[in-house]
Amino acid sequence: MEWTTERRYRRYEDWTQEERKKIQEKMAQSPWHVSYHIEPKEGLLNDPNGFSYFDGKWVVFYQNFPFGAAHGLKSWVQLESDDLVHFTETGVKILPDTPLDSHGAYSGSAMQFGDQLFLFYTGNVRDENWVRHPYQIGALMDKDGKIEKIDKVLIDKPSDATDHFRDPQIFNFKGQYYAIVGGQDLEKKGFVRLYKAVDNDYTNWKEVGDLDFNNDRTAYMMECPNLVFVGEQPVLLYCPQGLDKKVLDYDNIYPNMYKIGASFDPENARLVDVSALHNLDYGFEAYATQAFNAPDGRALAVSWLGLPDVSYPSDRFDHQGTFSLVKELTIKDGKLYQYPVAAIKELRASEEEFSNRSETKNTYELELNLEANSQSEIVLLADKDGKGLSINFDLVNGQVTVDRSQAGEQYAQEFGTTRSCPIDNQATTVNIFIDNSVFEIFINKGEKVFSGRVFPHENQNGIVIKSGNPTGTYYELEYGRKTN
């Protein structure tokens, strides 16, 4: 079935119950559903939006096209949690149903004000000539989940920007509310613009200027910018589409990057003593990461494990996309660490010594120890011939390599089937989370991270130690487990 523009932007009310039932039936046949990660109830899941804390609950929305694995008319779907591991879909949605978001509720953020949650997002509108008009708009959600949209544009598109201007993120810095928005200027170069809430009114924003973070100006668009604080240090997370690989090499179609500053100077829209540019994730899929500072000060982040303009094997079952685990961000010795929140341990249902296994449920965690000067290779999601997801730890030569070329159905091969990162030659810990069609690898508790999708064949569910002597623990994970 061809995804024409007309089909992608068909109004929600025009889809029949029969059509939706067929989509759900096809999704039910998929062999690649995840267990303890977030995936869409229907169709496509992409960017995490509105990650926040509200009314005693953790809240996150996912951007959704419910009618198949395609990027079409987007809405937001709400999830809530009390531990950042177990999430429940509430049925609350932001629908593309007003003149300011008629062609999609695009990405944005959220923050609690009083007894309401302010939702700040991009309304995507196309005119009769299919010219895009992006509007930075808002809505208020009460404690019962009722959403009331604010009937005005909160931030106008600047005159020096193209129609690529989106993804507002609101944040609090020393009692003052600010927002950043990603965009593209008239020279087709990406920028991040800083705004200040006048008198701390989230409906009244004043432009401060382009954020100075030593922008190399090689990217043509800055998507999903987020500014969070780890202690006093600002961390800018963003997706510089088209970044010149001479600036920093990457293999994915689009990268997710970060910079750390020594401090934030809001009056001059500047990150002071900003670091070099770094890859946020060395794997195959981590994009549109959204982070915010929780009420207790922690910087929390969640990523879309998917990429724009990439097709996936699950598409034929009318579903695509999942979120990463929720990660806490910390800084040690000038490095950004990202590691799943502590409650992830509640999923551990049983533990055994790490060893070869002919069969697993493909829902487990490995906690491994590697000795300095060691070389080892393990294969996860392995078939009886030892073919699967290969992870090679070469501490002698200082490199970790993940190879998915033998792991199930192949896709996006034009971007390569291996990913590598440098690693120090020292005693090393590795935590690996496998969830059927998702892997997340955390080296030294989040110093380096690989995330990605795999779509294993039916017989790929073993573990093979191919070389070396990695030791550690195998934990079976069960999403239904929850301790109080």
Side-chain angles (χ1 to χ4, degrees), residues 161-292:
T162 70
D163 60 359
H164 292 286
F165 182 68
R166 55 183 176 268
D167 311 337
Q169 187 230 354
I170 184 172
F171 63 95
N172 183 334
F173 180 70
K174 297 185 176 179
Q176 172 65 51
Y177 294 104
Y178 295 91
I180 52 175
V181 185
Q184 179 189 72
D185 66 23
L186 299 180
E187 296 178 5
K188 302 285 180 75
K189 302 294 184 182
F191 66 85
V192 177
R193 192 149 296 177
L194 179 69
Y195 294 83
K196 179 179 181 179
V198 178
D199 298 325
N200 270 345
D201 175 3
Y202 54 79
T203 68
N204 188 3
W205 295 91
K206 177 183 177 182
E207 181 179 311
V208 180
D210 282 354
L211 186 66
D212 180 358
F213 57 98
N214 288 353
N215 182 3
D216 56 80
R217 286 187 61 77
T218 66
Y220 62 75
M221 173 61 190
M222 300 301 191
E223 284 203 314
C224 305
N226 281 243
L227 189 60
V228 292
F229 297 86
V230 179
E232 291 293 310
Q233 289 190 263
V235 179
L236 179 68
L237 311 172
Y238 62 108
C239 300
Q241 292 187 323
L243 178 78
D244 190 328
K245 294 186 180 183
K246 293 176 184 175
V247 176
L248 185 63
D249 198 20
Y250 60 95
D251 293 311
N252 296 343
I253 183 173
Y254 304 121
N256 207 159
M257 302 284 188
Y258 75 90
K259 288 185 175 184
I260 302 174
S263 61
F264 175 51
D265 175 6
E267 290 187 7
N268 295 297
R270 178 170 170 248
L271 298 188
V272 179
D273 294 333
V274 71
S275 74
L277 185 63
H278 297 281
N279 253 314
L280 184 66
D281 192 295
Y282 288 89
F284 298 89
E285 275 101 0
Y287 195 75
T289 299
Q290 181 157 103
F292 83 108

Side-chain angles (χ1 to χ4, degrees), residues 85-109:
V85 172
H86 296 83
F87 284 87
T88 302
E89 210 168 285
T90 65
V92 174
K93 299 180 180 181
I94 296 182
L95 296 171
D97 57 4
T98 74
L100 294 178
D101 59 11
S102 59
H103 289 72
Y106 278 20
S107 290
S109 54

